[in-house]
Amino acid sequence: MAKVPDLFEDLKDCYSEDEDYNSTMDHLSLHQKSFYTTSYHSLGETCVDKLMSRSTSETSKTSKLTFQGSLVLVSANGKTLKKRRLSFNQPISNDDLEAIAYDLEEEPIKPRSASRLLQSNVSYTYKRIIQKEFALTDPLHQSIIQDPTSQYLKATSLTDQDQEVKFDMGAYISTTEDSKFPVTLRISKTHLFVSAQEEDEPVLLKEMPETPKTITGSDTNLIFFWESHSGMNYFTSAAHPELLIATKVDSAVHMAKGLPSMTEFQIS
């Protein structure tokens, strides 16, 4: 029968000579607190090389020599790589040994972004209509129409301008976003409001019983932040702050971050 290599015979040389050591399981368990919990000295490079020089088969055998207690794995430069609690049924893995040798830090867990939740809690209060019956034209001089085959808006070139959609722009205020100009876009003489969706999805026309006096929660899709630069106008979604109302050639009006979609409009 092949001899099982003694991993702790290699480890004991990495610590001070005055710490008691015994190769038997019973005696070693008496000193496990000192070895695992209170000893945080980094492993020397010689010891690391010695551990990593073992073959995969040898490592798989020595991995069964585990103890109950808190294990802190520390690299040669003193960096704490992993800190976990082991038991007889949870052996030291090959990944643990590689982490010691190569300073492989465990990837931190990134917290979920709370921006969507914060946006849904913002309240927008209606002030007044600031522009009535205007048209939007993209950089290719496409007009916005209501697609007769669907419920979506569409950008297309027109010869008859009577087909283009006319919009009313309603101004809102929010106590939490003083630097932005929140508005709604409503198709004139209707109760249909432009509603933002996910990236690359067509905007929807949401029918409201009347002009909403307060917008919050799921209705935040109706709010856009209006900006105007050098004669061009931009409408950024309040519900999806990275997305703007956009067009492509002869396609549905949709939400996009930018190119290849066009996100700027002229108002006429």
Side-chain angles (χ1 to χ4, degrees), residues 168-172 182-186 193 211-212 215 222-224:
D168 296 339
M169 186 185 298
Y172 285 73
V183 299
T184 56
L185 296 174
R186 182 188 66 190
F193 289 78
T211 298
I215 294 178
L222 303 178
I223 293 290
F224 298 90

Side-chain angles (χ1 to χ4, degrees), residues 13-139:
D13 295 331
C14 304
Y15 295 87
S16 60
E17 296 181 357
D18 58 356
E19 183 173 16
D20 293 335
Y21 176 85
N22 190 304
S23 60
T24 64
M25 186 70 73
D26 292 337
H27 191 191
L28 184 56
S29 65
L30 296 175
H31 299 278
Q32 61 180 338
K33 182 175 182 181
S34 172
F35 183 82
Y36 287 108
T37 305
T38 62
S39 180
Y40 290 87
H41 304 295
S42 60
L43 299 179
E45 294 183 0
T46 302
C47 178
V48 170
D49 294 339
K50 191 173 183 180
L51 288 174
M52 295 308 298
S53 66
R54 292 192 180 277
S55 66
T56 303
S57 62
E58 289 177 328
T59 303
S60 65
K61 296 173 184 178
T62 60
S63 65
K64 293 183 179 180
L65 299 175
T66 60
F67 300 88
Q68 179 69 38
S70 296
L71 174 65
V72 177
L73 299 183
V74 184
S75 67
N77 61 12
K79 184 187 297 180
T80 300
L81 303 177
K82 297 184 179 180
K83 188 173 183 179
R84 64 180 59 170
R85 191 170 186 83
L86 297 181
S87 67
F88 286 103
N89 296 322
Q90 184 180 357
I92 301 173
S93 66
N94 295 344
D95 291 339
D96 293 334
L97 296 180
E98 290 181 7
I100 298 173
Y102 301 114
D103 286 4
L104 301 178
E105 291 190 86
E106 291 184 316
E107 183 178 354
I109 299 175
K110 297 180 180 180
R112 294 181 178 179
S113 174
S115 60
R116 185 70 58 83
L117 178 61
L118 293 176
Q119 287 292 339
S120 65
N121 290 334
V122 176
S123 178
Y124 300 90
T125 303
Y126 175 72
K127 296 300 292 181
R128 61 187 179 88
I129 297 295
I130 55 176
Q131 293 201 48
K132 297 188 67 174
E133 298 189 15
F134 64 90
L136 294 174
T137 307
D138 71 12

Side-chain angles (χ1 to χ4, degrees), residues 154-212:
K154 181 179 180 181
T156 189
S157 297
L158 291 178
T159 55
D160 182 5
Q161 299 302 317
D162 290 338
Q163 298 182 40
E164 66 183 358
V165 171
K166 300 293 185 180
F167 295 95
D168 296 339
M169 186 185 298
Y172 285 73
I173 59 171
S174 170
T175 56
T176 61
E177 294 167 336
D178 294 336
S179 61
K180 298 181 179 180
F181 198 66
V183 299
T184 56
L185 296 174
R186 182 188 66 190
I187 295 181
S188 300
K189 300 177 181 178
T190 74
H191 294 294
L192 297 175
F193 289 78
V194 176
S195 178
Q197 302 301 304
E198 300 289 343
E199 184 174 9
D200 294 329
E201 292 185 6
V203 301
L204 298 181
L205 294 176
K206 184 173 182 178
E207 185 168 12
M208 305 293 287
E210 61 181 6
T211 298

